[in-house]
Amino acid sequence: MSIFIGQHQISDPVLLAPMSGITDAPFRRMVKRFGVGLAFAEMVAGRHVLSGQDRTNRMLRHDGSGVQAIQIAGRDPAIMADAARFVVDQGADIVDINMGCPAKQVTGGYAGSALMRDLDQARRIIAAVAGASRVPVTLKMRTGWDDASRNAPELARIAEDLGVQMITVHGRTRCQFYKGRADWRFISDVKQAVRIPVVANGDITTVADAQTCLEQSGADGVMIGRGAQGRPWFPAQVIAALQGQAFTLPTIPEIGELLLAHYRDLIDSGDTWPMVRIARKHLGWYAAHLDDPRAFRTEVMTAEDPEVVLDAIDRHFSVGTDLSVSQARAA
Ligand SMILES: Cc1cc2nc3c(=O)[nH]c(=O)nc-3n(C[C@H](O)[C@H](O)[C@H](O)COP(=O)(O)O)c2cc1C
């Protein structure tokens, strides 16, 4: 199983989903330690790309290894074209266009999934970005705006005609937001509509989910979002399973070591206070592996000093001890 996105061969098409506030460079580095086909950075608004703001610069930061896939969102074709040129100059190897975000601040601005209701505007944006970008352009979408208008196959065909090299479909409509279940079977309609690779996304949190999703969608790969939160090894676990190989889950002390590294990387990647706050959600997710997550969360969730948090990680995850693999709660 291998796909090409332009010149980039992705030998294991198990991809990390773009997630705002989550798939920053430190998180992508954690996922890449284990292995992942491709890791998408969090969405950046096209109009912010050229702003030079610290937050935006942090979001656009290179994670240090492999193919850099940057996602941009917006409504204005000229701004999106400028944004694409800029991110490519900054080192992006792939530019992804967001036509899936359901958030009102995004769709209210008629970007993200709102573009699935306005295919003419979607066409103009795709053409502008593809024309401006000297690297492959990909597109992420939902199945449609609502149940009555599941037009992902049509948008995928438009995108393919304009030179887009891969489509990812989150198997929900915009109006579902995150409710209900992702419809993996519907994604097969998109797969049949185009020749470029189609990646299926939504609700993959176990190896069995990934296998069922591939069967039902006929997709060329899967993309994992929330399933990797607090489990940066999960994409690699899926890759191993698809190759018929065993995968050893990390022990609690090993998870503690990972979290120490992840936490330090996060704190070092920006000003201390915002990073302490941003890191808290990750602490909460990793805590789920502990027998007593609440005791750990109580200690770290209000701590403002990173040293206090590092000390708590060390103690609660018994870092430095040698618990056996069977004691890992990471399944
Ligand atoms: C907190 C959060 C942030 C997200 N941010 C983005 C984003 O920036 N761009 C995007 O295309 N999708 C974004 N998504 C959607 C995910 O990429 C993915 O399509 C969705 O979560 C379904 O996959 P999952 O069930 O594997 O999480 C986000 C999802 C979550 C939960």
Side-chain angles (χ1 to χ4, degrees), residues 17-20 22 43 71 98 140 170 178 201-203 225-226:
M19 288 186 285
S20 286
I22 298 165
M43 159 182 83
Q71 187 187 64
N98 180 321
K140 182 162 177 283
H170 173 190
Y178 289 89
N201 166 244
D203 297 343
R226 291 165 294 175

